[in-house]
Amino acid sequence: MTRIAIRRALITVYDKTGLEDLARGLEAAGVEIVSTGGTAAAIASYGVPVTRVESLTGFPECLDGRVKTLHPRVHAGLLADGGNPSHVKQLEELEIEQFQLAVVNLYPFAATVASGASDAECVEQIDIGGPAMIRAAAKNHGTVAVVVDPAAYGDVLAAAAEGGFTLTERRRLAATAYAHTAAYDVAVASWFGNVYAPEGEWPSFMGAAWKRKAALRYGENPHQGAALYTGGTDGLANAEQLHGKEMSYNNYVDADAAWRAAWDFAEPAVAIIKHANPCGIAVGADVAEAHRKAHECDPVSAYGGVIAVNRKVTRELAEQIAPIFTEVVVAPSFAADALEILREKKNIRLLACPSGPANAAEFRRVDGGLLVQTVDRVDAPGDDPSGWELRAGEPASPEVLADLAFAWRACRSVKSNAILLATGGATVGVGMGQVNRVDSARLAVARAGERAAGSVGASDAYFPFPDGLQVLTEAGVKAIVEPGGSIRDDQVIEAAKEAGITLYFTGTRHFFH
């Protein structure tokens, strides 16, 4: 078991949660406590004996507290290997006592940055002595237990009563400690590179710290392992699950795609996603209407889909969803009576995520590297219909223009090559993921059926030839919006004129892979 009894502890913490119980418990276990500044004052106020670090070092805290523990009598006590006779002898000669426990947490740098504090205040909250002590104790985990989380104080007191932490426990504590300082350093380095001393649009260093939230049953397929990690921010990964089975890897992928698609709209909107592609997207006067319209787009594919709603789920919406086999419903919140209805479905997963997607950048791993890009929020200049260029036909009526604007915005969430048909603020046919635009147009028309006639169409990128547009016009599509930019734009425009339809160019592309 290799337990090492805790005889002497160094405690220096910014977050004093649980400090009183910890100090009293260590005192009861006969542990000598050494501490610094405000931590020592707090411990003394509890009536617990404490040795101030300056009495240990013989040197006062200075420089407004910037220098407290950076001293050999502290670090030698943390770094001395109790199993090394040479180290033990040197400690005796130097009259330095070992620590068996270090309890340290750090200045709240990330919280200070998030608060909007000045640069000078942020710099002042960069902890120096704390990380040094944590890293020293973690390196010397063969002798010292290091604790960085107040949630572990109960384990500390239990270990003190049982003769100390085992080597396995000290290793795990050290791993947690190094993860803690690594995340802290990433936060500081990221702030310097992105805010305080930027070098351009993209920093020369990019780091992230992720903490495992859940081990998933498997990945995309049963033979693949998988886990969910979170980065300490709000978002879908930290949504509250109100009901249902555990989320799977594929559930998260589809829920993320649906959540983003629903929040592409300011109006009440519903997106139904299957295999990361829309079965239907719609806006409405309320979420129940939006869901009815979205579901009607492709009810066969919606079976077993994921539904995202950008407003509270109402009773009426819950009554519509309940008869349909659905994997996940994610929304900002659920009305109490809506929850009661949906919880009657044993397996449906209900996620409450109060805020919409907020990531400024998105990442994709490639072999040996990482691709980073800003998130497409459908907010480029060409996404505003008032700036669209009319290239064929009569200007669209307000109703048709509204449908074109909806189709253009909804098309963003469709895997390229993407063609989307819409009527009345709802998709009626979606052609996605084809390797040529003609096949995507054919697929959209086939899915729309008779609804293609009189609908409007959107293409995420230009038509390289007239044939894709002609597939739509022959099906009765009356207006189309696309980026333009093909070397054969003149042929596409001529085909639109011959068909007598309205054609707008946006000048903006929305590839999605």
Side-chain angles (χ1 to χ4, degrees), residues 237-399:
N238 288 302
E240 180 185 3
Q241 184 163 350
L242 304 176
H243 178 70
K245 297 190 297 185
E246 291 183 2
M247 291 282 287
S248 72
Y249 182 97
N250 291 330
N251 289 154
Y252 275 114
V253 171
D254 282 351
D256 187 63
W259 191 234
R260 184 174 167 187
W263 282 94
D264 278 341
F265 298 91
E267 310 96 320
V270 169
I272 306 172
I273 297 290
K274 190 88 162 282
H275 296 298
N277 269 303
C279 309
I281 302 173
V283 296
D286 53 51
V287 292
E289 180 190 11
H291 174 258
R292 285 193 297 272
K293 292 157 64 176
H295 184 76
E296 287 169 359
C297 176
D298 188 354
V300 172
S301 298
Y303 180 86
V306 169
I307 299 174
V309 187
N310 68 354
R311 298 287 196 281
K312 177 188 287 189
V313 174
T314 61
R315 178 186 180 89
E316 183 181 2
L317 175 55
E319 288 173 338
Q320 290 174 194
I321 294 173
I324 304 164
F325 172 55
T326 301
E327 289 277 356
V328 182
V329 179
V330 54
S333 61
F334 293 74
D337 50 0
L339 268 181
E340 184 177 353
I341 292 167
L342 293 174
R343 279 175 170 161
E344 292 181 4
K345 309 289 288 185
K346 179 181 177 181
N347 294 327
I348 190 171
R349 301 160 179 88
L350 306 179
L351 301 183
C353 188
S355 56
N359 291 331
E362 58 190 10
F363 308 86
R364 178 172 292 186
R365 288 292 299 268
V366 294
D367 192 26
L370 183 73
L371 290 170
V372 186
Q373 67 174 355
T374 55
V375 173
D376 186 354
R377 298 290 184 203
V378 202
D379 57 1
D383 294 323
D384 183 351
S386 66
W388 291 353
E389 183 182 1
L390 180 65
R391 301 306 303 269
E394 296 297 320
S397 68
E399 294 77 12

Side-chain angles (χ1 to χ4, degrees), residues 403-483:
D403 271 347
L404 284 168
F406 167 83
W408 180 247
R409 188 162 285 273
C411 195
R412 195 284 312 154
S413 62
V414 182
K415 297 286 186 174
S416 300
N417 289 306
I419 299 291
L420 185 143
L421 304 183
T423 300
T427 57
V428 295
V430 183
M432 75 288 281
Q434 304 303 300
V435 293
N436 67 73
R437 201 155 293 277
V438 178
D439 282 347
S440 289
R442 290 171 179 153
L443 180 58
V445 167
R447 288 179 177 272
E450 295 179 355
R451 297 172 297 178
S455 70
V456 304
S459 176
D460 66 337
Y462 63 66
F463 289 100
F465 300 94
D467 50 1
L469 179 139
Q470 289 167 337
V471 168
L472 302 184
T473 59
E474 288 168 7
V477 174
K478 64 185 178 184
I480 295 172
V481 59
E482 57 130 318

Side-chain angles (χ1 to χ4, degrees), residues 145-156:
V146 57
V147 174
V148 296
D149 186 353
Y153 290 173
D155 296 335
V156 172

Side-chain angles (χ1 to χ4, degrees), residues 51-215:
T51 300
R52 293 182 178 271
V53 74
E54 55 265 39
S55 67
L56 176 71
T57 63
F59 202 92
E61 295 182 11
C62 61
L63 305 180
D64 298 320
R66 285 190 174 194
V67 180
K68 302 176 185 176
T69 57
L70 298 172
H71 194 282
R73 290 195 174 275
V74 174
H75 282 270
L78 291 172
L79 281 165
D81 179 358
N84 185 328
S86 174
H87 284 198
V88 174
K89 182 179 179 181
Q90 289 179 65
L91 289 185
E92 291 174 353
E93 292 171 350
L94 296 170
E95 298 181 345
I96 295 174
E97 295 184 57
Q98 287 183 269
F99 293 103
Q100 294 78 41
L101 174 67
V103 179
V104 185
N105 60 56
L106 307 177
Y107 295 164
F109 176 80
T112 302
V113 171
S115 74
S118 68
D119 289 350
E121 290 172 310
C122 293
V123 169
E124 200 58 35
Q125 288 299 309
I126 299 174
D127 205 323
I128 304 301
M133 287 183 288
I134 292 171
R135 291 175 62 84
K139 175 176 180 175
N140 198 28
H141 59 271
T143 298
V144 181
V146 57
V147 174
V148 296
D149 186 353
Y153 290 173
D155 296 335
V156 172
L157 298 182
E162 295 171 6
F165 288 100
T166 67
L167 177 58
T168 297
E169 291 168 339
R170 294 195 301 275
R171 285 175 176 168
R172 289 174 181 160
L173 289 170
T176 299
Y178 278 125
H180 186 63
T181 57
Y184 195 84
D185 285 343
V186 164
V188 173
S190 297
W191 178 75
F192 264 79
N194 288 294
V195 179
Y196 191 52
E199 299 180 82
E201 183 179 3
W202 298 103
S204 59
F205 166 83
M206 183 168 291
W210 304 94
K211 185 175 181 180
R212 188 185 68 217
K213 181 177 181 180

